[in-house]
Amino acid sequence: MNTDRVLLVVPNLRWCLGDASTFWHFVPYNLCLLAAMVEDLCEVEILDAYIDDLSLEQFTAIVEQRRPDVVGITVMMDQFAEAGHLAAKAAKQGCPDSKVVLGGVHVTVDPDEVMCDPVIDYAVRGEGEYVFRELLLFLQGKQAFPGRGVCRRDGAGYVVAERAELIGDLDAVKLPSYDLIDYERYTHHAPRRSVDSPRALPYARVMTSRGCPYQCVFCQVEHISGRTFRRRSAQNVLEEIAWLKDRYGIQSLILDDDNLFSHRSHAVDLLQGMIDQGLAMPWAMISTAVFRLDEELVELMRESGCEYICIAIESGCRRVLDEVINKPVDYDHARQMVAKAQSVGIYVAANFIVGFPTETWDEIRETIRFAEDLGTDYVKLFHAIPLRHTRLWELCETTGAFKSGFNVDGIRWNTGQIETDQFNPDDLTILRAYEWDRINFSSPARRARTAAMMGVSEEELWTIRRQTLEGAQQRVASSVAAEKAG
């Protein structure tokens, strides 16, 4: 088969969800990595239907015009699975002879659901940089079908493969081919107004590791990239930062890495390397394992340019943290690290989650009190969201905690899917919105500092607050109306 032309696709998430508050502007990093690994085999294009806000009709017309031999579609979250299937159907309509390949989180955790779709010819399970290359070589008739990682059609049915072997040497993965996209469209403006927005523009996002050794109840990572923690060498990461700075003029970084500090000496080498090699610049970390921090690390973080961290506490109730969530957070140590980070000039936010099965209303209020007393600069409050193939999903099944009419295809990050005799999603929607507002904007000094972090005026901040509260009210009103109509 001819595979001279490969089109890699980000579907438009709006095809399946219309709630803009669930979206986040992101660089198609994974597709740029795939492209870098196969550019010597074929001509590669990347089409981001999301950033271009293409309609399905426009997307179909582009595929028809370009007539690719292979269309590779990524679906990075279960929440957006439908968009991937719509893209696959449209690709086949536009170019019936093309081979459609789906990859990403959706197929990795739910391959049967993916392969039940007859328009999908192949699906890549797990880390795809090497496996996708092997699939192209197979389609070119140059090697046998990959032994692991690729699901395929088999007559009227399909065969589901085991996940691809985890990539052990992450340094061997090539730098992403950002030249295949209009990189400035992603890096020269902030995705939205938030405390964890880039600290300066243009900015870049950098990943330093894969896998996670911990077992938080709500997380799919174990099924996506494994419990085996693997890290790029400090020098390999430094080379990427230098490349981003020299080639694209990057002025700040977001480190997309929950476990940067899991290996202390590696973190020290990276941060000290940024300082020694003239790569220190403002950087932020959106999810930080606070239990891996110490005072020396915090000082080094600030010296290398850190301006913002968001620590993952999850619950202020010891029972819920230990017996339900399974996260090794020491509350006293967390308080010390928050105070230390703030003392050196780092803005600190904290994540909390409420609404777990078996959690009582009093325990939820305990978390709210702790979130306020911890003393961070900003607090984020989330619903517990059950994702398939997690222990939280299993706990919801065993305790009967899925809300009435629950549908996995209807999952939203900003609305709850769990209800018990203690609470329902509407209760938590209002609680989260109003406690978020009360805690975060309780004083003029706090409002001023948060407005500065978001890069907005205090008048604009008030608009954001009002829209958040009104949005919560509207979601509850819609929920009540749907319940009455049902």
Side-chain angles (χ1 to χ4, degrees), residues 167-206:
I167 298 174
D169 182 7
L170 295 180
D171 284 6
V173 176
K174 296 181 180 180
L175 290 173
S177 291
Y178 288 145
D179 57 307
L180 295 181
I181 60 175
D182 184 355
Y183 193 51
E184 291 186 356
R185 291 185 68 188
Y186 302 89
T187 63
H188 281 249
H189 68 278
R192 61 180 180 182
R193 299 299 178 86
S194 169
V195 291
D196 45 34
S197 292
R199 307 321 316 148
L201 299 173
Y203 79 104
R205 308 181 81 105
V206 173

Side-chain angles (χ1 to χ4, degrees), residues 122-315:
Y122 300 97
V124 174
R125 290 191 71 194
E127 297 174 342
E129 287 90 345
Y130 291 103
V131 172
F132 185 62
R133 179 181 177 86
E134 292 171 2
L135 175 60
L136 292 184
L137 288 169
F138 163 74
L139 293 174
Q140 291 173 349
K142 296 179 180 178
Q143 71 173 43
F145 188 79
R148 289 179 61 173
V150 180
C151 309
R152 68 184 189 278
R153 303 231 70 79
D154 183 19
Y158 60 86
V159 176
V160 168
E162 294 182 51
R163 284 181 297 175
E165 293 185 13
L166 299 177
I167 298 174
D169 182 7
L170 295 180
D171 284 6
V173 176
K174 296 181 180 180
L175 290 173
S177 291
Y178 288 145
D179 57 307
L180 295 181
I181 60 175
D182 184 355
Y183 193 51
E184 291 186 356
R185 291 185 68 188
Y186 302 89
T187 63
H188 281 249
H189 68 278
R192 61 180 180 182
R193 299 299 178 86
S194 169
V195 291
D196 45 34
S197 292
R199 307 321 316 148
L201 299 173
Y203 79 104
R205 308 181 81 105
V206 173
M207 292 283 294
T208 72
S209 70
R210 298 183 186 181
C212 182
Y214 307 107
Q215 292 181 288
C216 295
V217 68
F218 47 75
C219 189
Q220 283 183 320
V221 167
E222 178 179 352
H223 297 276
I224 298 168
S225 54
R227 290 192 62 196
T228 302
F229 175 65
R230 294 153 290 139
R231 63 182 184 276
R232 298 165 60 189
S233 68
Q235 187 55 40
N236 182 259
V237 178
L238 291 167
E239 289 170 0
E240 180 179 3
I241 295 172
W243 171 70
L244 290 166
K245 182 179 178 181
D246 294 343
R247 182 160 183 172
Y248 298 105
I250 295 305
Q251 298 295 310
S252 75
L253 300 170
I254 292 179
L255 299 182
D256 281 319
D257 208 322
D258 294 353
N259 294 307
L260 176 62
F261 304 111
S262 288
H263 194 283
R264 190 181 189 281
S265 63
H266 171 264
V268 169
D269 288 345
L270 175 58
L271 299 178
Q272 190 63 54
M274 290 176 66
I275 298 165
D276 295 343
Q277 297 180 32
L279 300 174
M281 65 179 74
W283 62 269
M285 180 176 284
I286 294 176
S287 184
T288 306
V290 67
F291 50 88
R292 305 300 300 188
L293 296 181
D294 60 52
E295 292 197 353
E296 290 182 0
L297 268 178
V298 171
E299 290 174 357
L300 192 59
M301 290 163 61
R302 186 68 189 98
E303 189 178 352
S304 65
C306 181
E307 295 186 359
Y308 171 92
I309 59 172
C310 184
I311 60 175
I313 302 293
E314 319 302 18
S315 178

Side-chain angles (χ1 to χ4, degrees), residues 34 47 68 185 217 223 301 307 313 361 418 422 434 443 451 486:
L34 286 182
L47 175 61
R185 291 185 68 188
V217 68
H223 297 276
M301 290 163 61
E307 295 186 359
I313 302 293
W361 187 254
I418 296 171
Q422 295 281 311
Y434 280 84
S443 71

